[in-house]
Amino acid sequence: MLIRYSTWCLLWILMLLNIVTPLVSGGPIERRNYWSNVDDNYMWKEFAVFERDDSPLVQPAKVNHTLPPKYMSPEELEKLTLEQFKKLKLNYTEVISEIDEDLAEGDMRRGRHLPRLVDKALRLFNLKQVVTEVETSVMSKVSCTACKAGVGLLQHYIRGGKTTKDIEQIVYKFCVSLQIQTPRVCEGFTELFGAEVVYVLKRVQIGPDEICSFVVGDGCEEVYNPTHDWNVVFPPVPKPAPKPAPSPKELVSTFKVLHLSDTHFDPYYHEGSNANCKEPLCCRLTNGPAPDVQSAAGRWGDYRKCDTPKRTIDHMLQHITNTHPDIDYIIWTGDLPPHDVWNQTREENLMILKETVAQMVKTFPGIPIFPALGNHEAAPVNSFPPPFVQNDFSIKWLYDELDNQWRKWLPTSVSRTVRRGAFYSVLVRPGFRIISLNMNYCNNKNWWLLLNSTDPAKELQWFIYELQSAEFSGEKVHVIGHIPPGYSDCARIWSRNYYTIINRYEGVITAQFFGHTHFDEFEVFYDMDDMGRAISIAYVGPSVTPYYDLNPGYRIYYVDGDHEKSTRMVLDHETWIMNLREANLYDYPIWYKEYSARHAYLMQSLSPADWDNYINKLAENITMFDLYFKYYWKNSPVRPSCDSECRKRMLCDMRSGRSHDRKYLCQELESRIDANTKGTGWRAWLYNSLALSRWF
């Protein structure tokens, strides 16, 4: 979306008349007074009419929270014995450019198993690897090949005039014949996703190369597509000169903040059922009884592809209320339903939303909760049409109910943006604001973005408006969301625009908080003009669900609180976990503090510069990295080992606040690790040849 040059000139003149003098004098500018004077036809006027309630939602802290101890002696660092190397499953196939025209359509209609097609597919694809990569977002060239073949096949049938029902039947037979999933999962997927995928593909004018470059990301070569090349527009207000943040004083007021993410509550979890099934989600009666003791679902959860039973969530929440009665507010970053993504309905997902909100209200009465929307709340999963889609596929059913449920904590002033795009801005305390973003508009698994990825719901442009208003008002901002902007699931163009926004408002945004990956990690953002200067930190909180190979966990943050020179920075954080193996063995779950960041990582503070320095240490010190790797997996006893290539990939994740740009962000770091690693040999060369977007 473009703005006329004359409008910029008018905005610039008004800015000079109304802003320069107050800024020079050092006083913040009240946001309404400024924006009400901007008389133009662009989005500022549109955003300014949104009703706002600037009453602080959090009362002053009841206590001055005691931060965790600061240092850990070198003698206390655990020496980990790494497990055996995870074997790489390599596939040396070339990209399929088109599907054979001699597909046996008649055989499909008669329900045969297509032996010729099966034989060819099994020769060309490592389908087991593709399924694993789709489930874990670890995309490689193998997935790119499969994507191009699948998209090419679908477009071939759409151009041939096949109906949606015909295409769903063909895809179902394809899924069953190639044993991609069980028949019931294949049926569920085609019924849930078929209509919307066909709807989108009928309306796009791009081919498999462009589509798969957008959906898969690093696993495919970047293909330029002008429909996915757009930039947000900033007001003509000069960026204030960056100032080093003062070191927060430890004896001043603090906030104690609970971060919950990715609960994935499974109402149908059943103890003793088969936890080793061949579907995306196990541990249910529908998976049948366990064939042996080792395959039985545990009482409190399971390390395999199983989500969280109700008793575990209840136990965790009771533990939190007993252990942390002094919580000031909660950030809740989404993903409430389980991973039965082939078998979900709107009604069931709304039921889980309502039940979980009711449980949070009951457990934490009077404590403000600031939620963000996950990608699993939609049915089907990842399906978030932009506001211009107003037919049967409209997302209005979810956003309207979110507004109803979130209103238990949020003011009525946020209803307009929540119902429009599931994002909002609220004042937590005077001078301190939380902005919750709907990160599903960056989700490259959201096929609706293929129609138009240009700032869906005008969310990023609204984000700029809120940040500019906060800058005028002298406010500090925390950003919360679900999908981390540097993660491979975030579309390249959206992530690049977001990175630019963080750069412009580095003086306003003091922390970011996300979930989605289920791991305990972080992303550092850097000055785009000086990549050696870290400017922002995004914390990725651990998941409550053990899905999969993980212990359940949650996070506690200590935030600089109410005082004259408050930075609103995170002073420290703790991760608390439950050892799932011991809980199931003794039927006695124990939640304990796994670590605190400054103590475990020997950090003076948690500033972006300190996190950048920590990454550099991890690149040089394998013992320190092993400790980080242990905490990354929440001390899971079934975590894999991590060789030098895995180590490079993880360190690059920490440097990558911008998705699908690893070569630019991580080249120097990876070279340093290579220089300090002996005997990488052919294994490293083969690993690099895959160009994986992420490796655990």
Side-chain angles (χ1 to χ4, degrees):
M1 193 178 291
L2 300 176
I3 186 168
R4 298 191 308 272
Y5 177 74
S6 59
T7 307
W8 274 130
C9 293
L10 176 59
L11 185 57
W12 179 254
I13 292 170
L14 290 171
M15 184 274 297
L16 289 176
L17 292 175
N18 292 284
I19 301 174
V20 172
T21 301
L23 284 180
V24 171
S25 65
I29 297 169
E30 208 283 323
R31 63 168 69 195
R32 290 196 187 94
N33 290 343
Y34 173 69
W35 291 118
S36 63
N37 290 330
V38 178
D39 182 16
D40 71 284
N41 296 319
Y42 192 46
M43 71 283 295
W44 310 122
K45 186 174 181 180
E46 175 186 346
F47 295 145
V49 300
F50 287 174
E51 180 187 358
R52 282 189 175 83
D53 181 355
D54 283 345
S55 302
L57 296 183
V58 174
Q59 296 304 311
K62 299 179 288 294
V63 296
N64 183 23
H65 308 290
T66 302
L67 271 66
K70 190 170 184 179
Y71 296 111
M72 174 186 284
S73 65
E75 292 76 18
E76 291 176 312
L77 291 173
E78 285 194 44
K79 292 185 178 181
L80 301 177
T81 302
L82 297 179
E83 300 175 4
Q84 62 180 358
F85 288 105
K86 181 179 287 186
K87 295 181 180 179
L88 297 173
K89 295 185 177 181
L90 304 174
N91 185 284
Y92 301 95
T93 63
E94 297 182 355
V95 174
I96 297 176
S97 60
E98 57 185 4
I99 301 298
D100 286 349
E101 295 182 357
D102 62 344
L103 287 171
E105 297 178 19
D107 290 348
M108 280 189 169
R109 285 194 294 269
R110 291 192 294 271
R112 297 180 185 175
H113 288 286
L114 309 179
R116 280 201 309 152
L117 180 59
V118 171
D119 178 68
K120 181 172 183 178
L122 292 178
R123 284 188 289 108
L124 292 175
F125 297 119
N126 185 338
L127 289 176
K128 185 177 180 181
Q129 180 177 339
V130 172
V131 172
T132 299
E133 291 181 1
V134 170
E135 290 178 348
T136 61
S137 295
V138 186
M139 296 296 188
S140 75
K141 290 183 179 179
V142 176
S143 291
C144 182
T145 299
C147 174
K148 291 179 180 179
V151 170
L153 178 64
L154 289 173
Q155 290 187 320
H156 168 76
Y157 283 117
I158 289 171
R159 289 192 299 267
K162 297 291 184 184
T163 66
T164 299
K165 186 175 181 180
D166 289 338
I167 293 174
E168 287 178 352
Q169 183 181 19
I170 292 169
V171 172
Y172 169 74
K173 292 296 184 182
F174 206 115
C175 180
V176 172
S177 299
L178 298 181
Q179 299 180 359
I180 295 174
Q181 280 292 344
T182 63
R184 68 171 186 153
V185 173
C186 290
E187 181 179 12
F189 270 126
T190 55
E191 288 183 359
L192 271 175
F193 292 90
E196 79 166 33
V197 172
V198 171
Y199 181 92
V200 170
L201 290 182
K202 280 183 176 180
R203 287 159 177 80
V204 298
Q205 302 299 317
I206 54 179
D209 286 350
E210 293 87 349
I211 290 173
C212 294
S213 176
F214 182 87
V215 173
V216 176
D218 281 346
C220 292
E221 293 295 327
E222 182 174 358
V223 179
Y224 177 75
N225 183 346
T227 63
H228 299 304
D229 185 10
W230 51 272
N231 294 297
V232 291
V233 181
F234 293 92
V237 180
K239 176 182 176 180
K243 296 180 180 179
S247 298
K249 297 180 180 180
E250 295 192 29
L251 298 180
V252 298
S253 172
T254 57
F255 289 136
K256 188 174 182 180
V257 182
L258 169 66
H259 183 185
L260 296 174
S261 194
D262 298 88
T263 48
H264 289 290
F265 161 54
D266 186 0
Y268 304 108
Y269 185 97
H270 189 78
E271 179 185 359
S273 61
N274 186 10
N276 198 25
C277 72
K278 304 301 181 182
E279 296 181 339
L281 183 67
C282 306
C283 295
R284 292 177 157 192
L285 278 175
T286 52
N287 299 123
D292 50 58
V293 175
Q294 290 74 24
S295 300
R299 176 170 176 77
W300 296 95
D302 203 279
Y303 287 119
R304 286 158 288 197
K305 293 181 182 179
C306 304
D307 274 319
T308 321
K310 186 177 187 301
R311 63 170 59 93
T312 301
I313 295 178
D314 291 343
H315 194 276
M316 179 192 70
L317 294 179
Q318 186 59 53
H319 152 78
I320 291 173
T321 58
N322 294 337
T323 309
H324 309 287
D326 53 347
I327 290 171
D328 292 296
Y329 65 88
I330 300 169
I331 54 177
W332 189 23
T333 52
D335 266 14
L336 313 183
H339 285 85
D340 59 337
V341 293
W342 73 93
N343 191 41
Q344 292 180 335
T345 64
R346 294 179 176 182
E347 292 74 22
E348 182 126 349
N349 280 17
L350 290 180
M351 177 197 72
I352 290 176
L353 169 66
K354 295 173 184 177
E355 288 185 1
T356 310
V357 167
Q359 184 180 37
M360 295 290 284
V361 170
K362 181 180 179 181
T363 306
F364 303 106
I367 298 179
I369 299 178
F370 303 106
L373 180 63
N375 62 303
H376 276 264
E377 273 78 302
V381 66
N382 300 320
S383 176
F384 294 88
F388 64 79
V389 178
Q390 291 294 319
N391 50 26
D392 292 340
F393 297 115
S394 170
I395 197 66
K396 181 177 172 61
W397 66 272
L398 176 59
Y399 290 177
D400 286 355
E401 189 57 42
L402 284 177
D403 182 43
N404 293 332
Q405 296 299 318
W406 289 358
R407 196 84 61 78
K408 294 175 172 60
W409 307 294
L410 304 179
T412 57
S413 59
V414 306
S415 287
R416 185 164 177 176
T417 55
V418 170
R419 288 178 180 264
R420 175 184 174 86
F423 49 85
Y424 63 86
S425 171
V426 292
L427 192 68
V428 180
R429 294 290 300 146
F432 178 37
R433 182 169 294 275
I434 283 180
I435 297 178
S436 177
L437 296 179
N438 181 358
M439 301 299 289
N440 293 295
Y441 290 134
C442 92
N443 187 355
N444 54 17
K445 308 304 182 293
N446 181 8
W447 280 63
W448 292 99
L449 299 183
L450 292 172
L451 291 176
N452 186 356
S453 71
T454 306
D455 193 12
K458 297 183 181 178
E459 180 181 28
L460 288 182
Q461 208 65 63
W462 167 88
F463 186 37
I464 291 173
Y465 169 79
E466 286 292 326
L467 292 172
Q468 188 62 65
S469 297
E471 185 176 273
F472 291 151
S473 303
E475 296 173 350
K476 298 298 183 182
V477 171
H478 283 182
V479 179
I480 67 173
H482 182 64
I483 300 174
Y487 189 56
S488 58
D489 282 352
C490 190
R492 180 185 287 113
I493 185 62
W494 199 99
S495 180
R496 289 177 182 176
N497 276 284
Y498 181 87
Y499 204 90
T500 304
I501 295 172
I502 299 299
N503 265 257
R504 167 58 185 85
Y505 295 102
E506 63 168 289
V508 176
I509 300 169
T510 59
Q512 307 169 60
F513 306 89
F514 301 95
H516 185 63
T517 73
H518 295 194
F519 295 99
D520 182 339
E521 52 185 325
F522 64 91
E523 295 175 354
V524 178
F525 290 66
Y526 296 87
D527 186 344
M528 295 173 66
D529 296 323
D530 177 9
M531 291 299 292
R533 187 174 72 88
I535 63 169
S536 188
I537 176 72
Y539 296 100
V540 182
S543 65
V544 173
T545 182
Y547 190 98
Y548 55 97
D549 287 346
L550 295 167
N551 282 317
Y554 66 88
R555 173 72 60 76
I556 294 288
Y557 296 99
Y558 295 90
V559 176
D560 200 5
D562 283 342
H563 59 91
E564 185 179 356
K565 296 183 179 180
S566 178
T567 64
R568 306 295 182 181
M569 292 174 59
V570 173
L571 304 181
D572 205 352
H573 71 66
E574 304 171 342
T575 294
W576 290 68
I577 63 172
M578 180 185 78
N579 187 309
L580 188 56
R581 173 175 285 178
E582 292 181 358
N584 286 332
L585 182 62
Y586 303 111
D587 193 18
Y588 190 76
I590 297 177
W591 296 85
Y592 67 94
K593 185 174 74 173
E594 183 188 22
Y595 76 99
S596 62
R598 291 188 309 165
H599 186 181
Y601 298 152
L602 305 175
M603 298 175 68
Q604 292 291 333
S605 72
L606 302 191
S607 70
D610 285 309
W611 282 112
D612 178 55
N613 185 51
Y614 177 64
I615 294 174
N616 291 327
K617 290 180 180 178
L618 292 182
E620 305 290 340
N621 190 317
I622 294 180
T623 302
M624 290 184 69
F625 177 83
D626 288 347
L627 183 67
Y628 173 80
F629 186 72
K630 169 186 173 182
Y631 295 151
Y632 173 88
W633 280 90
K634 290 182 283 183
N635 199 20
S636 169
V638 294
R639 65 184 181 272
S641 58
C642 188
D643 61 12
S644 62
E645 296 304 320
C646 157
R647 185 175 163 212
K648 284 197 298 186
R649 194 56 48 183
M650 288 186 60
L651 289 173
C652 184
D653 290 340
M654 304 173 203
R655 278 252 173 108
S656 299
R658 191 167 65 230
S659 68
H660 307 294
D661 212 356
R662 307 178 76 91
K663 290 182 180 178
Y664 179 71
L665 295 169
C666 305
Q667 193 170 39
E668 178 271 335
L669 183 68
E670 293 179 347
S671 297
R672 286 170 49 202
I673 297 174
D674 283 338
N676 293 323
T677 304
K678 295 181 180 180
T680 54
W682 64 269
R683 190 185 298 263
W685 178 84
L686 286 173
Y687 187 96
N688 286 329
S689 70
L690 289 176
L692 291 174
S693 63
R694 193 172 178 86
W695 178 255
F696 302 130

